Amino acid sequence: MDLNLRLLKALEAVADEGSMTRAAGRLMMTQQAVSGQIRQLERVAGTPLVRRRSWGVELTAAGQVFLKQGRELLTATHAMVAEARLVGSGLSGRLRIAFKAQSTAHFLPDVETSLHRVAPDVEVVPLAVHTLPDELDALLAGTADAAFLWLPIGDDRRFVSHRLLDEPRWVALPPGHRLAHRTSLRVSDLVCEPIVGPRDGMPDAVVKFWFIDPRPDGSRAVYGPQGRTPEECLHHVAAGRGSWIAPASTAAYFPYPRLVWLPLEDAAPLGLALIWLRENSNPLLDLLLEESKRVTRPTPV
């Protein structure tokens, strides 16, 4: 059976216009060409589909069946073509994004909103993680397409990295700490101060960067208990086992009861980046990067 979509479009035009002449004008064809397409469609159906009247044409009962299901087929075909074009242009599909809530809550919802404004059919799948190894493992295992994480990552060969924003470091101090009365801190204030934080599975260079080890004066950082998650780190701080150095966004996300958060004035800022595997060819990644840059770009004063 040779059922061409052009034949269905001709039948649809004839039904809508009630006239071969008007249908021909709508389709930018001659009346003879439209009549020929209807006859061809009737040969496929094996029965008349239109009935000529003095005032024009109308569909037969068989023609109504063809019109109803033909319109469904045309709609499905248009949707198929549109989706294929969107996928080909990188504007449709699925994006699985690994993230830490405390680091992205202030911008990631806006990124998703911006994405959907540009490409409504993009499905964003958020994947919450706790540590840098968790994020890198998700990318390497193929369970995440991209990740928002703090630099450095200790592996620049396998990943593409795009720095989005910088944040100052803040320090969480335990209740009654000798420095709690201050309005800000300097790195030199942390001499002999145990610093809590994750270390297992982290590249040595990454650990030293976060713990500021060595210090500007050449002294070594004092490593306190490990905390894999922010909640674990804050528990250690609350229990008086040390202090925790974290980004400003984390300090805002966790206004932990009884603890004091203070900015660390002279420490190098922390850079948040969007990264993915170099071999990942998902065209949506460029769109994600573009909208992430748009959202995180500083607002002109």
Side-chain angles (χ1 to χ4, degrees):
M1 179 178 66
D2 184 14
L3 182 58
N4 194 298
L5 292 178
R6 291 185 297 106
L7 307 184
L8 294 177
K9 289 180 180 179
L11 181 67
E12 181 181 47
V14 169
D16 291 344
E17 301 296 337
S19 163
M20 291 288 183
T21 302
R22 289 194 296 272
R26 168 172 157 177
L27 297 172
M28 293 183 290
M29 299 170 60
T30 66
Q31 180 180 340
Q32 292 78 9
V34 172
S35 296
Q37 289 188 340
I38 296 299
R39 288 194 297 270
Q40 186 178 346
L41 193 57
E42 289 176 327
R43 287 195 293 271
V44 171
T47 186
L49 300 178
V50 300
R51 185 180 293 113
R52 274 73 177 177
R53 300 292 192 185
S54 59
W55 45 263
V57 296
E58 65 178 3
L59 298 188
T60 64
Q64 294 289 350
V65 171
F66 248 79
L67 177 64
K68 177 179 181 297
Q69 299 194 30
R71 276 179 168 160
E72 293 175 356
L73 180 59
L74 287 171
T75 298
T77 302
H78 292 157
M80 175 184 68
V81 172
E83 184 174 353
R85 286 175 177 171
L86 286 173
V87 171
S89 63
L91 296 180
S92 181
R94 184 175 64 164
L95 270 176
R96 300 162 300 170
I97 304 174
F99 71 102
K100 301 186 187 77
Q102 72 274 11
S103 302
T104 59
H106 58 301
F107 73 85
L108 187 51
D110 292 336
V111 170
E112 184 169 349
T113 298
S114 186
L115 269 172
H116 286 157
R117 188 179 300 115
V118 177
D121 293 327
V122 170
E123 178 189 5
V124 175
V125 181
L127 304 171
V129 296
H130 296 297
T131 67
L132 172 63
D134 290 340
E135 289 182 293
L136 297 183
D137 287 347
L139 293 172
L140 291 169
T143 57
D145 300 300
F148 291 100
L149 46 72
W150 295 101
L151 300 174
I153 63 174
D155 187 342
D156 297 326
R157 296 171 300 169
R158 292 181 291 179
F159 299 97
V160 176
S161 175
H162 301 276
R163 193 173 185 127
L164 296 174
L165 55 84
D166 290 336
E167 287 190 10
R169 304 192 202 202
W170 283 57
V171 181
L173 299 174
H177 193 277
R178 60 183 175 84
L179 298 172
H181 66 284
R182 301 274 292 275
T183 58
S184 65
L185 299 176
R186 300 183 67 83
V187 176
S188 58
D189 295 324
L190 301 179
V191 173
C192 301
E193 181 72 24
I195 304 298
V196 305
R199 297 195 298 275
D200 285 346
M202 305 272 283
D204 186 61
V206 174
V207 172
K208 291 183 181 299
F209 177 78
W210 279 89
F211 283 75
I212 314 178
D213 185 20
R215 302 291 164 77
D217 63 1
S219 63
R220 301 303 303 270
V222 178
Y223 291 86
Q226 292 203 57
R228 186 173 184 274
T229 67
E231 292 83 358
E232 290 177 1
C233 290
L234 288 170
H235 176 78
H236 286 309
V237 174
R241 303 186 183 111
S243 301
W244 182 37
I245 301 173
S249 55
T250 299
Y253 191 85
F254 288 106
Y256 205 82
R258 300 173 56 223
L259 298 188
V260 175
W261 281 101
L262 294 176
L264 191 57
E265 290 184 343
D266 59 342
L270 299 168
L272 188 75
L274 175 64
I275 80 162
W276 58 77
L277 281 173
R278 290 189 183 278
E279 62 195 41
N280 193 334
S281 58
N282 187 340
L284 288 174
L285 293 173
D286 289 333
L287 180 62
L288 174 61
L289 175 61
E290 179 181 346
E291 298 309 312
S292 297
K293 286 181 175 179
R294 189 193 315 278
V295 168
T296 58
R297 186 179 299 127
T299 303
V301 178

